[in-house]
Amino acid sequence: MNKIDNSFNESVSTFVTESGLYTYIIHHPGFKRSAAVYGTPFGALNIQQRKDGETIEHKKGVQHFLEHKLFEDEAGDILSQFAAIGASGNAFTSYEQTFYYFGHNGAIEAPLSLLLDFVSSFTVTADSVEKEKGIIVEEMKMYEQRPITRLINETYRNALHQFPFIYDIVGTEESINATTLEDLRKAYDLNYNDSRMVLAIVTPEDPEIVKEIVERKTKNHIKVESQVEDIYPDEPLEVKHTRREIFENVETAKMSLSFKLPYTGTSLQKEEFLFDMLLEMNFSELNPHYQSWLDEGAISHSFAYGTEVQNAFVLITFFNEGTEYARFEEIINAQMAHLIADQEQFDQLKKRYYGEMVMSLSNADDLAVNVAREHFQEMHYFSFLSMVQALTFEDILEIKTKVKIDNSSFLLMSQNQ
């Protein structure tokens, strides 16, 4: 096994199985808990793919549908099987990945074997696909009834033209009902081979013994040489709607204001981290005007913000609720036009973020997910931590120059009339 040198006193080993599975083992001697994540870079954004010259158009939400179906096999419900051996298993589909994972306070072999077995086995039947459709449609409707979910989804549709953020992770009722066994099989074959996936394990057990378990469980996995290519639509730089109002069953009006910028960086993770740091300097309690914004009702206690950095664009979005939406828009625009970058605040935030990240290294479940996620960003997690440690105030000053407010999108979600 290869060792990853890091400045965090973490024992990190990596190896690649004969099937092509890149595996991390983070050794935590003295701890009781083990955790593992087995994941694929196949998320809701990956609607169109190409392999060996063939372009494949997936049904929207097929990633989430596939996650549902893999939790069943001939022996029954996978979650019940994890529970029977004292482990807690689960999965989630995001826009960019699908992860299957477990946490366990006992010996790792049984839950790790179960994880590797069920994810690498496609036992879905046509009848089970039909039965699942109603379950997923109900789940989709439940999420759609949440005002914050509707606000986020409609915010993407306000600012973006074609980029797949405009589609819900679960899909649409139409796409769910149109999904077939063949659709799931095609998506699985393209994206669930070990050479495309990653396995991240955090455990107190001997790494060599854990490696033997992984190699034994994957020895019959077929290695796939040719890889799938993800294809994304060309996204225009200008926002789709500068202003839009929709009417929903909400008690209090909700709103969002987004700024769409060109992406001109070289590291998605670094730039997103810096944008978020800059926003916190200006739109949190660090800003002396924050309390007065709250007092006058321009922002509420549900006020939030975030950044999406993609190769095609940067989207900075603010969310709020209340009746003072004109004032909300006014203060956000004014602050974005005169962003503050303060050396003392930068030092304070950097220490806080970095300290929280180092503290999280002792949480096996979070660490396994973070290691797997950063792997798909072509950076191991400990390099990400070192990147944060090496940030300078000049980096914040540079990111500040990239913020423009001339390409914005305002969405108001009002009460049904």
Side-chain angles (χ1 to χ4, degrees):
M1 289 192 287
N2 298 317
K3 293 285 187 180
I4 293 181
D5 293 329
N6 62 88
S7 57
F8 308 97
N9 296 319
E10 291 285 339
S11 174
V12 186
S13 303
T14 66
F15 66 96
V16 180
T17 66
E18 290 185 5
S19 59
L21 179 61
Y22 198 101
T23 304
Y24 295 84
I25 300 178
I26 299 95
H27 188 212
H28 275 185
F31 283 66
K32 290 184 177 181
R33 191 165 182 83
S34 291
V37 174
Y38 193 16
T40 173
F42 186 50
L45 295 182
N46 307 119
I47 294 174
Q48 193 174 70
Q49 296 183 307
R50 182 184 295 122
K51 185 176 181 181
D52 299 331
E54 177 190 2
T55 299
I56 300 93
E57 191 85 21
H58 295 293
K59 297 286 196 315
K60 297 173 185 67
V62 72
Q63 302 84 354
H64 174 262
F65 203 131
L66 191 53
E67 175 212 314
H68 266 237
K69 295 314 302 171
L70 290 187
F71 268 94
E72 298 175 8
D73 68 5
E74 295 91 339
D77 176 58
I78 299 295
L79 293 179
S80 297
Q81 294 179 53
F82 273 118
I85 56 179
S88 56
N90 217 324
F92 66 87
T93 300
S94 70
Y95 278 108
E96 296 174 318
Q97 297 115 11
T98 303
F99 287 148
Y100 303 82
Y101 59 92
F102 73 82
H104 187 41
N105 290 333
I108 196 174
E109 182 168 5
L112 180 57
S113 296
L114 177 57
L115 178 70
L116 291 168
D117 283 343
F118 91 84
V119 177
S120 61
S121 178
F122 185 89
T123 59
V124 184
T125 65
D127 285 345
S128 72
V129 171
E130 292 306 311
K131 291 177 182 177
E132 197 70 29
K133 290 179 180 179
I135 296 172
I136 298 177
V137 167
E138 286 305 310
E139 180 183 347
M140 178 202 70
K141 290 180 178 179
M142 179 186 69
Y143 284 124
E144 283 187 340
Q145 290 173 0
R146 297 177 180 176
I148 186 60
T149 301
R150 288 284 293 154
L151 180 63
I152 293 170
N153 289 341
E154 292 299 332
T155 294
Y156 282 139
R157 292 164 192 151
N158 227 42
L160 303 174
H161 296 253
Q162 303 179 79
F163 199 79
F165 278 136
I166 63 177
Y167 306 117
D168 192 274
I169 289 174
V170 178
T172 65
E173 185 169 357
E174 180 182 9
S175 69
I176 294 166
N177 285 323
T179 299
T180 66
L181 176 62
E182 291 71 27
D183 294 327
L184 296 176
R185 167 64 80 175
K186 172 69 78 172
Y188 182 87
D189 288 345
L190 285 171
N191 295 282
Y192 281 74
N193 59 80
D194 279 351
S195 56
R196 182 163 169 80
M197 300 177 75
V198 67
L199 176 65
I201 303 167
V202 182
T203 181
E205 298 189 27
D206 185 338
E208 290 293 342
I209 294 176
V210 176
K211 178 175 182 282
E212 290 175 6
I213 297 170
V214 174
E215 290 180 328
R216 183 174 72 252
K217 298 302 298 185
T218 60
K219 67 179 180 180
N220 293 325
H221 293 188
I222 297 173
K223 185 173 183 179
V224 177
E225 298 294 345
S226 59
Q227 285 298 302
V228 65
E229 174 191 358
D230 296 312
I231 303 170
Y232 301 100
D234 293 331
E235 174 63 31
L237 182 56
E238 69 276 5
V239 297
K240 184 173 183 180
H241 301 285
T242 55
R243 307 189 69 79
R244 188 162 65 103
E245 183 175 6
I246 60 176
F247 298 92
E248 297 286 342
N249 184 26
V250 294
E251 293 183 3
T252 306
K254 301 182 187 303
M255 66 213 72
S256 67
L257 180 59
S258 302
F259 299 88
K260 195 175 184 183
L261 319 172
Y263 176 67
T264 58
T266 57
S267 170
L268 295 174
Q269 300 99 309
K270 180 178 179 179
E271 273 92 31
E272 186 166 303
F273 193 92
L274 287 167
F275 275 120
D276 286 340
M277 183 180 283
L278 183 62
L279 292 181
E280 184 156 5
M281 286 183 186
N282 286 269
F283 296 98
S284 74
E285 293 87 347
L286 293 175
N287 187 323
H289 300 293
Y290 183 85
Q291 187 59 49
S292 64
W293 294 343
L294 275 174
D295 293 342
E296 68 176 282
I299 64 172
S300 69
H301 289 288
S302 66
F303 175 68
Y305 47 83
T307 312
E308 290 286 354
V309 179
Q310 299 290 325
N311 284 318
F313 61 89
V314 177
L315 193 66
I316 298 173
T317 304
F318 300 87
F319 300 98
N320 193 41
E321 67 176 25
T323 58
E324 300 296 327
Y325 43 84
R327 179 61 177 145
F328 161 76
E329 190 176 6
E330 179 185 355
I331 65 168
I332 299 299
N333 277 316
Q335 192 66 35
M336 285 288 284
H338 301 90
L339 290 170
I340 297 167
D342 180 83
Q343 173 81 61
E344 184 177 347
Q345 289 183 357
F346 169 80
D347 293 338
Q348 176 185 344
L349 287 172
K350 178 180 169 181
K351 289 177 182 177
R352 193 188 84 200
Y353 292 156
Y354 184 70
E356 290 171 351
M357 290 176 181
V358 172
M359 289 292 290
S360 72
L361 293 176
S362 61
N363 185 311
D365 303 71
D366 290 346
L367 180 56
V369 170
N370 288 334
V371 168
R373 182 179 285 122
E374 289 304 320
H375 174 83
F376 292 133
Q377 299 296 328
E378 300 182 353
M379 176 187 288
H380 68 71
Y381 185 58
F382 303 96
S383 291
F384 178 79
L385 294 180
S386 296
M387 178 271 291
V388 172
Q389 187 179 33
L391 291 176
T392 67
F393 184 60
E394 286 68 30
D395 292 323
I396 279 285
L397 294 177
E398 181 181 356
I399 212 74
K400 179 174 173 285
T401 66
K402 298 182 179 183
V403 176
K404 310 295 180 186
I405 65 168
D406 56 349
N407 190 30
S408 64
S409 173
F410 180 75
L411 175 71
L412 179 63
M413 182 186 291
S414 299
Q415 293 176 323
N416 283 324
Q417 294 179 327

